[in-house]
Amino acid sequence: MREWWVQVGLLAVPLLAAYLHIPPPQLSPALHSWKSSGKFFTYKGLRIFYQDSVGVVGSPEIVVLLHGFPTSSYDWYKIWEGLTLRFHRVIALDFLGFGFSDKPRPHHYSIFEQASIVEALLRHLGLQNRRINLLSHDYGDIVAQELLYRFKQNRSGRLTIKSLCLSNGGIFPETHRPLLLQKLLKDGGMLSPILTRLMNFFVFSRGLTPVFGPYTRPSESELWDMWAGIRNNDGNLVIDSLLQYINQRKKFRRRWVGALASVSIPIHFIYGPLDPVNPYPEFLELYR
């Protein structure tokens, strides 16, 4: 009689193979509509998804929305219509490695590249000489900080920022408390590729839900939309590479935190104090 562990192994191999080849979930009608109404442009051979809506006629105001980790521009869909009532152009993109944009691997993902993609999108739209309002969240906050740094340096071809509105995000490395899964993925070495392949909707939803306040947590259907965006183009396999932004933030703290000091443009910060990743009161005291 064969050893029991051999039998278990023979059974586990096909089950694991089947698990690793589970197809991504189908797009919900709402998410499919979001994709269908968007467009793509090419940045250095890579396809970047974006939304661009015309709103108030006669207004000169343009707002560019920068989403958080690990989701996409679809984060903004609930306030999209409201923004079109205030701004003439409302623009959002999926950063490289997120949502419907390309997710190359292996690839050195960086905040610097994401900021350059934002600049390239505005050149593509013919808006490179217009004054831009930025609205950012989480990962997008760091991209906004890099864009602000470039703006302050008066570098040619950079965005001209009219105003900046940040929302909950780890703009200060010293007060940032990443989740356990984030720590494992960004510093896991050989373990990271295994974890990204084993990640599923249950692990994702259990990990993400606690970062929301008790009265604003997403529904299960909304979590499935987020997961579908991640699984698109095998995005779960690049999460560990994307998370290197946490290490980049520490390395370039002086550059990015310094960009927020002594600025001549209006800056506003929307902060939910129940944020476990950027906890109250440490974060708010440092910001003040």
Side-chain angles (χ1 to χ4, degrees), residues 129-168:
N129 296 320
R130 300 288 297 276
R131 299 178 70 198
I132 304 298
N133 301 283
L134 291 178
L135 173 57
S136 63
H137 172 64
D138 187 57
Y139 183 94
D141 287 349
I142 317 303
V143 179
Q145 286 175 273
E146 171 59 20
L147 291 169
L148 183 61
Y149 175 85
R150 297 180 186 187
F151 169 65
K152 289 179 66 176
Q153 298 299 310
N154 293 317
R155 297 184 178 181
S156 60
R158 304 308 188 189
L159 254 66
T160 301
I161 301 175
K162 182 177 182 181
S163 71
L164 171 60
C165 181
L166 306 157
S167 60
N168 284 59

mmCIF file of all heavy atoms in Angstrom, residues 129-168:
data_model
loop_
_atom_site.group_PDB
_atom_site.id
_atom_site.type_symbol
_atom_site.label_atom_id
_atom_site.label_comp_id
_atom_site.label_asym_id
_atom_site.label_seq_id
_atom_site.Cartn_x
_atom_site.Cartn_y
_atom_site.Cartn_z
ATOM 1 N N ASN A 129 -0.814 72.413 -21.710
ATOM 2 C CA ASN A 129 -0.620 73.820 -21.349
ATOM 3 C C ASN A 129 -1.758 74.377 -20.497
ATOM 4 O O ASN A 129 -1.802 75.582 -20.235
ATOM 5 C CB ASN A 129 -0.458 74.667 -22.616
ATOM 6 C CG ASN A 129 0.792 74.286 -23.401
ATOM 7 O OD1 ASN A 129 1.842 74.026 -22.817
ATOM 8 N ND2 ASN A 129 0.676 74.239 -24.726
ATOM 9 N N ARG A 130 -2.656 73.520 -20.090
ATOM 10 C CA ARG A 130 -3.789 73.959 -19.275
ATOM 11 C C ARG A 130 -3.488 73.770 -17.793
ATOM 12 O O ARG A 130 -2.700 72.924 -17.395
ATOM 13 C CB ARG A 130 -5.042 73.163 -19.653
ATOM 14 C CG ARG A 130 -5.462 73.325 -21.122
ATOM 15 C CD ARG A 130 -6.046 74.701 -21.381
ATOM 16 N NE ARG A 130 -7.257 74.890 -20.607
ATOM 17 C CZ ARG A 130 -8.467 74.473 -21.009
ATOM 18 N NH1 ARG A 130 -8.607 73.838 -22.167
ATOM 19 N NH2 ARG A 130 -9.536 74.696 -20.258
ATOM 20 N N ARG A 131 -4.136 74.564 -16.952
ATOM 21 C CA ARG A 131 -3.994 74.431 -15.506
ATOM 22 C C ARG A 131 -4.927 73.322 -15.018
ATOM 23 O O ARG A 131 -6.113 73.314 -15.334
ATOM 24 C CB ARG A 131 -4.305 75.760 -14.817
ATOM 25 C CG ARG A 131 -3.390 76.889 -15.235
ATOM 26 C CD ARG A 131 -3.773 78.193 -14.549
ATOM 27 N NE ARG A 131 -3.469 78.142 -13.122
ATOM 28 C CZ ARG A 131 -4.001 78.967 -12.226
ATOM 29 N NH1 ARG A 131 -4.896 79.878 -12.593
ATOM 30 N NH2 ARG A 131 -3.653 78.882 -10.956
ATOM 31 N N ILE A 132 -4.373 72.408 -14.245
ATOM 32 C CA ILE A 132 -5.067 71.174 -13.895
ATOM 33 C C ILE A 132 -5.329 71.103 -12.389
ATOM 34 O O ILE A 132 -4.451 71.387 -11.566
ATOM 35 C CB ILE A 132 -4.221 69.946 -14.314
ATOM 36 C CG1 ILE A 132 -3.892 69.994 -15.805
ATOM 37 C CG2 ILE A 132 -4.943 68.657 -13.953
ATOM 38 C CD1 ILE A 132 -5.082 69.947 -16.725
ATOM 39 N N ASN A 133 -6.553 70.707 -12.030
ATOM 40 C CA ASN A 133 -6.881 70.374 -10.649
ATOM 41 C C ASN A 133 -6.676 68.868 -10.473
ATOM 42 O O ASN A 133 -7.160 68.076 -11.280
ATOM 43 C CB ASN A 133 -8.339 70.728 -10.337
ATOM 44 C CG ASN A 133 -8.631 72.210 -10.542
ATOM 45 O OD1 ASN A 133 -8.277 73.041 -9.723
ATOM 46 N ND2 ASN A 133 -9.286 72.536 -11.659
ATOM 47 N N LEU A 134 -5.958 68.485 -9.420
ATOM 48 C CA LEU A 134 -5.708 67.077 -9.152
ATOM 49 C C LEU A 134 -6.516 66.621 -7.945
ATOM 50 O O LEU A 134 -6.540 67.299 -6.915
ATOM 51 C CB LEU A 134 -4.219 66.828 -8.867
ATOM 52 C CG LEU A 134 -3.235 66.980 -10.029
ATOM 53 C CD1 LEU A 134 -1.809 66.751 -9.520
ATOM 54 C CD2 LEU A 134 -3.559 66.011 -11.153
ATOM 55 N N LEU A 135 -7.171 65.474 -8.082
ATOM 56 C CA LEU A 135 -7.877 64.828 -6.975
ATOM 57 C C LEU A 135 -7.318 63.413 -6.865
ATOM 58 O O LEU A 135 -7.403 62.640 -7.819
ATOM 59 C CB LEU A 135 -9.385 64.794 -7.245
ATOM 60 C CG LEU A 135 -10.252 63.999 -6.262
ATOM 61 C CD1 LEU A 135 -10.088 64.502 -4.832
ATOM 62 C CD2 LEU A 135 -11.721 64.052 -6.681
ATOM 63 N N SER A 136 -6.728 63.095 -5.712
ATOM 64 C CA SER A 136 -6.013 61.822 -5.600
ATOM 65 C C SER A 136 -6.404 61.072 -4.343
ATOM 66 O O SER A 136 -6.929 61.637 -3.384
ATOM 67 C CB SER A 136 -4.503 62.064 -5.608
ATOM 68 O OG SER A 136 -4.113 62.847 -4.480
ATOM 69 N N HIS A 137 -6.089 59.764 -4.361
ATOM 70 C CA HIS A 137 -6.371 58.901 -3.217
ATOM 71 C C HIS A 137 -5.277 57.854 -3.088
ATOM 72 O O HIS A 137 -4.854 57.266 -4.096
ATOM 73 C CB HIS A 137 -7.730 58.209 -3.383
ATOM 74 C CG HIS A 137 -8.011 57.162 -2.345
ATOM 75 N ND1 HIS A 137 -8.133 57.457 -1.012
ATOM 76 C CD2 HIS A 137 -8.157 55.816 -2.442
ATOM 77 C CE1 HIS A 137 -8.363 56.350 -0.326
ATOM 78 N NE2 HIS A 137 -8.379 55.333 -1.179
ATOM 79 N N ASP A 138 -4.776 57.644 -1.852
ATOM 80 C CA ASP A 138 -3.908 56.515 -1.539
ATOM 81 C C ASP A 138 -2.665 56.504 -2.439
ATOM 82 O O ASP A 138 -1.865 57.431 -2.391
ATOM 83 C CB ASP A 138 -4.729 55.220 -1.656
ATOM 84 C CG ASP A 138 -3.989 53.994 -1.182
ATOM 85 O OD1 ASP A 138 -3.557 53.970 -0.023
ATOM 86 O OD2 ASP A 138 -3.823 53.052 -1.989
ATOM 87 N N TYR A 139 -2.479 55.469 -3.241
ATOM 88 C CA TYR A 139 -1.352 55.379 -4.186
ATOM 89 C C TYR A 139 -1.281 56.627 -5.057
ATOM 90 O O TYR A 139 -0.203 57.150 -5.338
ATOM 91 C CB TYR A 139 -1.550 54.128 -5.041
ATOM 92 C CG TYR A 139 -0.473 53.789 -6.036
ATOM 93 C CD1 TYR A 139 0.548 52.903 -5.707
ATOM 94 C CD2 TYR A 139 -0.510 54.307 -7.332
ATOM 95 C CE1 TYR A 139 1.515 52.543 -6.640
ATOM 96 C CE2 TYR A 139 0.458 53.960 -8.264
ATOM 97 C CZ TYR A 139 1.471 53.084 -7.913
ATOM 98 O OH TYR A 139 2.430 52.730 -8.843
ATOM 99 N N GLY A 140 -2.459 57.122 -5.466
ATOM 100 C CA GLY A 140 -2.512 58.318 -6.295
ATOM 101 C C GLY A 140 -1.952 59.544 -5.594
ATOM 102 O O GLY A 140 -1.469 60.479 -6.246
ATOM 103 N N ASP A 141 -2.008 59.574 -4.249
ATOM 104 C CA ASP A 141 -1.419 60.688 -3.508
ATOM 105 C C ASP A 141 0.075 60.801 -3.781
ATOM 106 O O ASP A 141 0.615 61.902 -3.922
ATOM 107 C CB ASP A 141 -1.630 60.502 -1.998
ATOM 108 C CG ASP A 141 -3.061 60.750 -1.562
ATOM 109 O OD1 ASP A 141 -3.860 61.264 -2.375
ATOM 110 O OD2 ASP A 141 -3.387 60.426 -0.409
ATOM 111 N N ILE A 142 0.759 59.656 -3.823
ATOM 112 C CA ILE A 142 2.206 59.672 -4.027
ATOM 113 C C ILE A 142 2.531 60.138 -5.442
ATOM 114 O O ILE A 142 3.474 60.901 -5.659
ATOM 115 C CB ILE A 142 2.820 58.279 -3.774
ATOM 116 C CG1 ILE A 142 2.211 57.637 -2.528
ATOM 117 C CG2 ILE A 142 4.325 58.374 -3.650
ATOM 118 C CD1 ILE A 142 2.357 58.447 -1.268
ATOM 119 N N VAL A 143 1.731 59.695 -6.414
ATOM 120 C CA VAL A 143 1.906 60.172 -7.790
ATOM 121 C C VAL A 143 1.679 61.678 -7.846
ATOM 122 O O VAL A 143 2.433 62.410 -8.501
ATOM 123 C CB VAL A 143 0.946 59.440 -8.753
ATOM 124 C CG1 VAL A 143 1.110 59.966 -10.176
ATOM 125 C CG2 VAL A 143 1.195 57.933 -8.706
ATOM 126 N N ALA A 144 0.664 62.159 -7.137
ATOM 127 C CA ALA A 144 0.391 63.597 -7.091
ATOM 128 C C ALA A 144 1.555 64.355 -6.463
ATOM 129 O O ALA A 144 1.901 65.461 -6.907
ATOM 130 C CB ALA A 144 -0.898 63.864 -6.318
ATOM 131 N N GLN A 145 2.175 63.782 -5.426
ATOM 132 C CA GLN A 145 3.329 64.428 -4.801
ATOM 133 C C GLN A 145 4.490 64.554 -5.788
ATOM 134 O O GLN A 145 5.183 65.571 -5.809
ATOM 135 C CB GLN A 145 3.765 63.644 -3.564
ATOM 136 C CG GLN A 145 2.843 63.799 -2.369
ATOM 137 C CD GLN A 145 3.256 62.894 -1.220
ATOM 138 O OE1 GLN A 145 2.842 61.738 -1.164
ATOM 139 N NE2 GLN A 145 4.071 63.411 -0.305
ATOM 140 N N GLU A 146 4.704 63.522 -6.598
ATOM 141 C CA GLU A 146 5.768 63.602 -7.598
ATOM 142 C C GLU A 146 5.439 64.647 -8.665
ATOM 143 O O GLU A 146 6.312 65.418 -9.097
ATOM 144 C CB GLU A 146 5.991 62.226 -8.242
ATOM 145 C CG GLU A 146 6.922 62.227 -9.455
ATOM 146 C CD GLU A 146 8.327 62.753 -9.164
ATOM 147 O OE1 GLU A 146 8.758 62.777 -7.999
ATOM 148 O OE2 GLU A 146 9.006 63.144 -10.137
ATOM 149 N N LEU A 147 4.177 64.699 -9.083
ATOM 150 C CA LEU A 147 3.771 65.720 -10.062
ATOM 151 C C LEU A 147 3.931 67.121 -9.468
ATOM 152 O O LEU A 147 4.336 68.062 -10.162
ATOM 153 C CB LEU A 147 2.322 65.481 -10.486
ATOM 154 C CG LEU A 147 2.080 64.227 -11.338
ATOM 155 C CD1 LEU A 147 0.588 63.949 -11.461
ATOM 156 C CD2 LEU A 147 2.710 64.376 -12.717
ATOM 157 N N LEU A 148 3.620 67.256 -8.188
ATOM 158 C CA LEU A 148 3.782 68.546 -7.508
ATOM 159 C C LEU A 148 5.250 68.931 -7.429
ATOM 160 O O LEU A 148 5.611 70.101 -7.639
ATOM 161 C CB LEU A 148 3.168 68.472 -6.112
ATOM 162 C CG LEU A 148 3.195 69.762 -5.279
ATOM 163 C CD1 LEU A 148 2.409 70.874 -5.969
ATOM 164 C CD2 LEU A 148 2.634 69.502 -3.884
ATOM 165 N N TYR A 149 6.110 67.962 -7.142
ATOM 166 C CA TYR A 149 7.553 68.233 -7.098
ATOM 167 C C TYR A 149 8.038 68.740 -8.444
ATOM 168 O O TYR A 149 8.790 69.721 -8.520
ATOM 169 C CB TYR A 149 8.313 66.963 -6.710
ATOM 170 C CG TYR A 149 9.816 67.132 -6.769
ATOM 171 C CD1 TYR A 149 10.514 67.656 -5.683
ATOM 172 C CD2 TYR A 149 10.526 66.778 -7.912
ATOM 173 C CE1 TYR A 149 11.891 67.826 -5.745
ATOM 174 C CE2 TYR A 149 11.904 66.939 -7.982
ATOM 175 C CZ TYR A 149 12.580 67.467 -6.894
ATOM 176 O OH TYR A 149 13.944 67.642 -6.963
ATOM 177 N N ARG A 150 7.635 68.094 -9.513
ATOM 178 C CA ARG A 150 8.052 68.517 -10.855
ATOM 179 C C ARG A 150 7.517 69.905 -11.177
ATOM 180 O O ARG A 150 8.214 70.722 -11.785
ATOM 181 C CB ARG A 150 7.564 67.501 -11.894
ATOM 182 C CG ARG A 150 8.152 66.118 -11.712
ATOM 183 C CD ARG A 150 7.641 65.148 -12.777
ATOM 184 N NE ARG A 150 8.090 63.782 -12.511
ATOM 185 C CZ ARG A 150 7.913 62.741 -13.332
ATOM 186 N NH1 ARG A 150 7.293 62.941 -14.497
ATOM 187 N NH2 ARG A 150 8.350 61.546 -13.027
ATOM 188 N N PHE A 151 6.282 70.169 -10.763
ATOM 189 C CA PHE A 151 5.680 71.491 -10.993
ATOM 190 C C PHE A 151 6.467 72.573 -10.256
ATOM 191 O O PHE A 151 6.746 73.644 -10.801
ATOM 192 C CB PHE A 151 4.228 71.465 -10.521
ATOM 193 C CG PHE A 151 3.568 72.816 -10.451
ATOM 194 C CD1 PHE A 151 3.348 73.565 -11.601
ATOM 195 C CD2 PHE A 151 3.163 73.344 -9.234
ATOM 196 C CE1 PHE A 151 2.738 74.811 -11.536
ATOM 197 C CE2 PHE A 151 2.548 74.581 -9.160
ATOM 198 C CZ PHE A 151 2.340 75.323 -10.312
ATOM 199 N N LYS A 152 6.863 72.297 -9.022
ATOM 200 C CA LYS A 152 7.615 73.276 -8.242
ATOM 201 C C LYS A 152 9.004 73.527 -8.816
ATOM 202 O O LYS A 152 9.567 74.601 -8.646
ATOM 203 C CB LYS A 152 7.743 72.815 -6.780
ATOM 204 C CG LYS A 152 6.442 72.874 -6.003
ATOM 205 C CD LYS A 152 6.617 72.377 -4.582
ATOM 206 C CE LYS A 152 7.530 73.291 -3.781
ATOM 207 N NZ LYS A 152 7.633 72.849 -2.367
ATOM 208 N N GLN A 153 9.545 72.512 -9.499
ATOM 209 C CA GLN A 153 10.862 72.676 -10.110
ATOM 210 C C GLN A 153 10.802 73.435 -11.431
ATOM 211 O O GLN A 153 11.838 73.686 -12.052
ATOM 212 C CB GLN A 153 11.501 71.305 -10.343
ATOM 213 C CG GLN A 153 11.746 70.506 -9.067
ATOM 214 C CD GLN A 153 12.681 71.210 -8.110
ATOM 215 O OE1 GLN A 153 13.750 71.647 -8.483
ATOM 216 N NE2 GLN A 153 12.261 71.332 -6.854
ATOM 217 N N ASN A 154 9.567 73.770 -11.867
ATOM 218 C CA ASN A 154 9.369 74.500 -13.123
ATOM 219 C C ASN A 154 10.021 73.797 -14.309
ATOM 220 O O ASN A 154 10.623 74.428 -15.180
ATOM 221 C CB ASN A 154 9.921 75.927 -13.011
ATOM 222 C CG ASN A 154 9.137 76.767 -12.027
ATOM 223 O OD1 ASN A 154 7.913 76.729 -11.999
ATOM 224 N ND2 ASN A 154 9.853 77.522 -11.195
ATOM 225 N N ARG A 155 9.907 72.475 -14.311
ATOM 226 C CA ARG A 155 10.494 71.721 -15.406
ATOM 227 C C ARG A 155 9.601 71.811 -16.639
ATOM 228 O O ARG A 155 8.391 71.655 -16.555
ATOM 229 C CB ARG A 155 10.689 70.264 -14.997
ATOM 230 C CG ARG A 155 11.669 70.113 -13.839
ATOM 231 C CD ARG A 155 11.923 68.660 -13.513
ATOM 232 N NE ARG A 155 12.892 68.520 -12.443
ATOM 233 C CZ ARG A 155 13.314 67.353 -11.961
ATOM 234 N NH1 ARG A 155 12.847 66.231 -12.465
ATOM 235 N NH2 ARG A 155 14.190 67.314 -10.986
ATOM 236 N N SER A 156 10.196 72.044 -17.779
ATOM 237 C CA SER A 156 9.426 72.196 -19.009
ATOM 238 C C SER A 156 8.708 70.895 -19.338
ATOM 239 O O SER A 156 9.217 69.794 -19.123
ATOM 240 C CB SER A 156 10.363 72.574 -20.167
ATOM 241 O OG SER A 156 11.344 71.577 -20.364
ATOM 242 N N GLY A 157 7.489 71.032 -19.854
ATOM 243 C CA GLY A 157 6.703 69.866 -20.233
ATOM 244 C C GLY A 157 5.957 69.230 -19.090
ATOM 245 O O GLY A 157 5.274 68.228 -19.277
ATOM 246 N N ARG A 158 6.074 69.794 -17.890
ATOM 247 C CA ARG A 158 5.394 69.231 -16.743
ATOM 248 C C ARG A 158 4.004 69.826 -16.589
ATOM 249 O O ARG A 158 3.667 70.845 -17.177
ATOM 250 C CB ARG A 158 6.210 69.465 -15.468
ATOM 251 C CG ARG A 158 7.639 68.944 -15.514
ATOM 252 C CD ARG A 158 7.712 67.496 -15.936
ATOM 253 N NE ARG A 158 9.047 66.942 -15.813
ATOM 254 C CZ ARG A 158 9.424 65.756 -16.267
ATOM 255 N NH1 ARG A 158 8.561 64.998 -16.902
ATOM 256 N NH2 ARG A 158 10.651 65.330 -16.110
ATOM 257 N N LEU A 159 3.216 69.169 -15.731
ATOM 258 C CA LEU A 159 1.865 69.662 -15.470
ATOM 259 C C LEU A 159 1.904 71.029 -14.806
ATOM 260 O O LEU A 159 2.758 71.296 -13.966
ATOM 261 C CB LEU A 159 1.141 68.702 -14.514
ATOM 262 C CG LEU A 159 0.061 67.797 -15.107
ATOM 263 C CD1 LEU A 159 0.714 66.821 -16.052
ATOM 264 C CD2 LEU A 159 -0.647 67.054 -13.988
ATOM 265 N N THR A 160 0.946 71.854 -15.179
ATOM 266 C CA THR A 160 0.710 73.095 -14.444
ATOM 267 C C THR A 160 -0.464 72.836 -13.519
ATOM 268 O O THR A 160 -1.597 72.673 -13.962
ATOM 269 C CB THR A 160 0.397 74.253 -15.405
ATOM 270 O OG1 THR A 160 1.502 74.438 -16.302
ATOM 271 C CG2 THR A 160 0.175 75.542 -14.624
ATOM 272 N N ILE A 161 -0.172 72.758 -12.225
ATOM 273 C CA ILE A 161 -1.191 72.376 -11.244
ATOM 274 C C ILE A 161 -1.862 73.609 -10.687
ATOM 275 O O ILE A 161 -1.195 74.522 -10.197
ATOM 276 C CB ILE A 161 -0.559 71.539 -10.117
ATOM 277 C CG1 ILE A 161 0.100 70.279 -10.698
ATOM 278 C CG2 ILE A 161 -1.618 71.148 -9.091
ATOM 279 C CD1 ILE A 161 0.862 69.461 -9.676
ATOM 280 N N LYS A 162 -3.179 73.633 -10.757
ATOM 281 C CA LYS A 162 -3.954 74.746 -10.209
ATOM 282 C C LYS A 162 -4.306 74.507 -8.750
ATOM 283 O O LYS A 162 -4.269 75.425 -7.917
ATOM 284 C CB LYS A 162 -5.226 74.957 -11.028
ATOM 285 C CG LYS A 162 -6.073 76.135 -10.560
ATOM 286 C CD LYS A 162 -7.277 76.342 -11.456
ATOM 287 C CE LYS A 162 -8.087 77.552 -10.987
ATOM 288 N NZ LYS A 162 -9.287 77.771 -11.845
ATOM 289 N N SER A 163 -4.681 73.283 -8.404
ATOM 290 C CA SER A 163 -5.012 72.930 -7.026
ATOM 291 C C SER A 163 -4.806 71.437 -6.850
ATOM 292 O O SER A 163 -4.771 70.675 -7.822
ATOM 293 C CB SER A 163 -6.455 73.311 -6.681
ATOM 294 O OG SER A 163 -7.368 72.460 -7.366
ATOM 295 N N LEU A 164 -4.677 71.031 -5.589
ATOM 296 C CA LEU A 164 -4.456 69.627 -5.277
ATOM 297 C C LEU A 164 -5.336 69.238 -4.092
ATOM 298 O O LEU A 164 -5.334 69.911 -3.061
ATOM 299 C CB LEU A 164 -2.985 69.383 -4.927
ATOM 300 C CG LEU A 164 -2.622 68.001 -4.357
ATOM 301 C CD1 LEU A 164 -2.973 66.899 -5.341
ATOM 302 C CD2 LEU A 164 -1.137 67.950 -3.997
ATOM 303 N N CYS A 165 -6.085 68.156 -4.260
ATOM 304 C CA CYS A 165 -6.888 67.601 -3.163
ATOM 305 C C CYS A 165 -6.461 66.154 -2.960
ATOM 306 O O CYS A 165 -6.654 65.307 -3.833
ATOM 307 C CB CYS A 165 -8.379 67.677 -3.491
ATOM 308 S SG CYS A 165 -9.423 67.031 -2.154
ATOM 309 N N LEU A 166 -5.850 65.890 -1.815
ATOM 310 C CA LEU A 166 -5.428 64.551 -1.442
ATOM 311 C C LEU A 166 -6.499 63.910 -0.556
ATOM 312 O O LEU A 166 -7.241 64.616 0.119
ATOM 313 C CB LEU A 166 -4.111 64.608 -0.666
ATOM 314 C CG LEU A 166 -2.933 65.341 -1.326
ATOM 315 C CD1 LEU A 166 -1.951 65.804 -0.268
ATOM 316 C CD2 LEU A 166 -2.240 64.451 -2.335
ATOM 317 N N SER A 167 -6.550 62.590 -0.563
ATOM 318 C CA SER A 167 -7.418 61.888 0.399
ATOM 319 C C SER A 167 -6.641 60.705 0.951
ATOM 320 O O SER A 167 -5.587 60.354 0.420
ATOM 321 C CB SER A 167 -8.729 61.455 -0.258
ATOM 322 O OG SER A 167 -8.493 60.576 -1.343
ATOM 323 N N ASN A 168 -7.161 60.089 1.993
ATOM 324 C CA ASN A 168 -6.416 59.100 2.767
ATOM 325 C C ASN A 168 -5.356 58.358 1.964
ATOM 326 O O ASN A 168 -5.668 57.648 1.007
ATOM 327 C CB ASN A 168 -7.381 58.081 3.375
ATOM 328 C CG ASN A 168 -8.124 58.643 4.556
ATOM 329 O OD1 ASN A 168 -8.823 59.653 4.416
ATOM 330 N ND2 ASN A 168 -8.001 58.013 5.711
#
